[in-house]
Every structure is written in C-alpha cells, then in structure tokens.
C-alpha cells in the first residue's frame, strides 16, 4: 500500500495569505493518485485551506502527519505547500491558525515521525520557504535521516520559495517531472530523477532545491508509459552482444525504396524489422550511426552503428536481468 498526505494552505489568520498552494496541492494529488496507464498509485488524503471557512489548524495537520507515518505502508509520502519559518531552534511549517512562526509544526518533529515510521519508504516534499533545513540537526548541523527517508525541498534553509502565475515554481516543476519528464526508459520516476529534473531547470541565482536521502535503493514515485517496450529493449543484447560491438548495416535494412542507387539490393523484411528497432534506439539516444549523419545514410552506405554510453548502460541492465 502507498499513502500520501497532501496539504496546501493559502489562508492564514495571522500572516499574509498565499495564492498558489491550494492549486499546487490539487495538482500533486491529481498526478500522484494514478499512474499514466490509469492504475492506482497512491491513496491520497488531501487537505486544503483556501479561505477562512476552510482553514487547517495546527492540531489537525500535526495529527494527520503523525497518522500517516504510523501506518505500515510501502511508501508514506507527505507533501506540503504553504508558509515556512526559520529561527535558531530550527524550521517550521505553518498552519492556518499559527500566531507566530515557531507555533507551526517543527520540521524536526515531522522528521521524527518519519524516522520512527514502520513504513518501508518515507518521503517528505516541502514547497515552503526555508524548507532546506529539514533533516538537519540544529545542534550538530548534520543530516539526521534514518534508513528509508527521503526529503525533497523547494529551497535551501536561507531561501524563500517563489510563486509564479498562481503556482509554486517548485511544485510546477515537480508535477512536470511526475507527469513524465523525469521518467527513465522503463517509465519509472524516482525521487532522484525528480530532483535532477528540477535542479536542471533552476539556475544558480534562483531558489535552489535540496535533496537528502538515506536509502539502499530508490522507490518509484510514479509509472509512465515507456517510449519503448521492454521486449524491444531486451533485444539490445541480441544486436550488441558485447560492449563496443558494431552492428553492420546495408541497403536491405532500409524499407524505403526512394533514393536508392541503381544496383542496390531490395529491402529484406527480416532486416527492416530489425532496423525499425534500431531506429527506436537511435531516437532514444541509445545508439548512433558510425561515419554517417543518419541511420538512413548508414544503411544505404553499408556502414555500422554502435551503442552510446546510455545504450551501454541499458545493455548492462539487460545482461544482469534488471529489465
């Protein structure tokens, strides 16, 4: 079982209210609850505070976080969008009724719930100012994550988190990553690939995302439809049995008759089927032609193709029965 508590707070009784956090929470719920093929991914509990009539009190939010991490789940995920606060004693996320910043929920308390959770994987995602302090001991200034805990935050402990066009900048990139931009060729999206996607999108002078983890292997956050079938991907070791192997081509691999010189042999169906898979590899940066600008030229000029560094990586995964 996979459970997610998703909270977005726009309305604050004693602080400036925000405008994009409820939208962000709804977007995260939408993308997390189903995989791309429609299968159930996370059972989601959504809590939002759009206005005074729907505020989220500190006691309610704290109890919900504790309840999430007390469950024996495969993955327990907590997402928060709202105000954050930092002082010498540590960081806090603020509920609608917080009268002072340090009357929010302590990030060290939330981490304590996650560290002691029976869930196999615990993931905390924070789109709030100063959230990068999460997971850091205020005394020793070191990471304090137990095994199985991962933290993703919108900014460092010194930074604010930006809203753009009624949405959090960080969560916009997060949803984009979960929607498929951070997927590998197997269609899997992990916390590390999400972080990489967000990190690459933000420059040195923008808010900097933070990624902390203590895991032996990454869990998949969401599955998308792979751009290539596993059956076709496994064929990579048939075509390239050893590292650095060069696969020879000739005009019989190209099904298109247009552009052939006189005397060229006609296409052979078995070869054109192989060529179709090789072209998929090429489009996915797994393979490149040798001495030719395109695969069509490589076939027509009887040249070869070989795997790229990424292709060699996936070849090794197939050899090890990891795919």
């Amino acid at each position: 079982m996979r459970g997610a508590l998703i909270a977005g707070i726009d309305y604050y009784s004693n602080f400036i209210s925000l405008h994009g956090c409820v939208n962000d929470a709804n977007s995260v719920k939408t993308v997390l609850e189903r995989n791309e093929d429609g299968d159930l991914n996370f059972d989601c509990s959504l809590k939002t505070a759009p206005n005074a009539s729907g505020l989220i009190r500190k006691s309610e939010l704290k109890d919900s976080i504790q309840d999430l991490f007390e469950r024996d789940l495969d993955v327990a995920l907590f997402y928060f969008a709202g105000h954050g606060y930092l002082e010498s004693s540590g960081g806090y996320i603020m509920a609608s009724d917080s009268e002072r910043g340090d009357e929010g929920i302590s990030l060290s308390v939330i981490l304590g719930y996650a560290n002691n959770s029976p869930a196999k994987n615990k993931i905390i995602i924070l789109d709030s100012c100063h959230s990068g302090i999460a997971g850091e001991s205020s005394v020793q200034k070191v990471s304090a994550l137990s095994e199985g805990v991962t933290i993703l935050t919108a900014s460092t402990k010194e930074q604010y988190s930006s809203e753009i066009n009624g949405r959090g900048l960080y969560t916009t990139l997060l949803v984009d990553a979960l929607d498929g931009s951070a997927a590998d060729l197997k269609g899997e999206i992990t916390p590390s690939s999400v972080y990489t996607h967000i990190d690459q999108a933000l420059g040195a002078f923008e808010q900097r995302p933070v990624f902390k983890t203590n895991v032996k292997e990454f869990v998949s956050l969401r599955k998308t439809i792979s751009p290539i079938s596993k059956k076709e991907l496994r064929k990579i070791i048939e075509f390239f049995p050893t590292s650095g192997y060069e696969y020879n081509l000739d005009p019989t691999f190209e099904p298109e008759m247009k552009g052939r010189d006189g005397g060229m042999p006609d296409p052979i169906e078995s070869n054109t089927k192989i060529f179709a898979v090789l072209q998929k590899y090429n489009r996915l940066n797994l393979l490149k032609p040798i001495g030719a600008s395109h695969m069509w030229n490589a076939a027509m000029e009887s040249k070869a193709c070989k795997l790229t560094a990424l292709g060699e990586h996936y070849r090794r995964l197939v050899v090890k029965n990891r795919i």
Side-chain angles (χ1 to χ4, degrees), residues 199-271:
D199 173 62
Q200 291 174 344
L202 295 173
F205 297 100
E206 297 179 275
Q207 68 187 63
R208 296 304 307 155
V210 174
F211 176 50
K212 302 176 183 179
T213 192
N214 181 10
V215 296
K216 292 180 179 177
E217 60 180 1
F218 285 118
V219 65
S220 175
L221 293 179
R222 188 170 184 263
K223 295 180 180 179
T224 61
I225 297 172
S226 172
I228 186 170
S229 71
K230 290 182 179 179
K231 182 178 179 180
E232 289 175 321
L233 197 50
R234 292 188 189 108
K235 286 181 177 291
I236 200 167
I237 60 173
E238 296 179 21
F239 305 140
F240 302 93
T242 60
S243 177
Y245 185 87
E246 297 183 1
Y247 193 95
N248 292 315
L249 301 170
D250 60 54
T252 66
F253 284 83
E254 172 55 60
E256 178 61 54
M257 295 298 295
K258 185 178 179 180
R260 290 175 180 269
D261 294 333
M264 277 187 173
D266 289 339
I268 297 175
E269 184 178 4
S270 59
N271 284 352

Side-chain angles (χ1 to χ4, degrees), residues 55-210:
L55 56 79
I56 298 176
R57 299 185 184 278
K58 173 185 173 181
S59 57
E60 175 192 356
L61 182 58
K62 185 177 180 181
D63 288 348
S64 297
I65 297 169
Q66 184 175 9
D67 177 69
L68 169 72
F69 288 119
E70 284 181 346
R71 296 179 181 272
D72 187 7
L73 300 168
D74 292 321
V75 184
L77 185 150
F78 172 55
Y79 167 88
F80 174 81
H83 273 310
Y85 179 78
L86 178 69
E87 65 167 31
S88 59
S89 63
Y92 300 80
I93 58 172
M94 295 165 59
S96 297
D97 61 345
S98 297
E99 295 187 1
R100 303 188 334 183
D102 60 0
E103 289 183 355
I105 303 171
S106 169
L107 294 179
S108 63
V109 169
I110 296 173
L111 181 62
Y113 293 153
N115 280 342
N116 295 311
S117 173
K120 295 179 181 65
N121 295 278
K122 290 79 65 172
I123 300 169
I124 300 169
I125 304 175
L126 305 174
D127 192 350
S128 55
C129 299
H130 313 298
S131 51
I133 196 174
E136 180 180 298
S137 168
S138 61
V139 178
Q140 298 177 329
K141 306 298 182 185
V142 295
S143 179
L145 279 63
S146 68
E147 186 176 317
V149 175
T150 296
I151 297 174
L152 292 156
T153 73
S155 59
T156 68
K157 66 180 181 181
E158 295 87 5
Q159 292 178 320
Y160 294 93
S161 299
S162 301
E163 283 190 345
I164 297 178
N165 298 323
R167 297 284 303 277
L169 173 60
Y170 179 82
T171 296
T172 298
L173 294 170
L174 170 69
V175 171
D176 183 46
L178 292 171
D179 206 29
S181 295
D184 64 12
L185 290 185
K186 296 182 291 180
E188 302 284 359
I189 300 169
T190 67
S192 63
S193 66
V194 167
Y195 172 76
T196 299
H197 173 80
I198 298 172
D199 173 62
Q200 291 174 344
L202 295 173
F205 297 100
E206 297 179 275
Q207 68 187 63
R208 296 304 307 155
V210 174

Side-chain angles (χ1 to χ4, degrees), residues 22-35:
V22 170
N23 289 337
D24 288 341
N26 280 302
S27 296
V28 170
K29 175 182 180 292
T30 298
V31 76
L32 274 183
E33 64 185 349
R34 296 280 172 180
N35 293 313

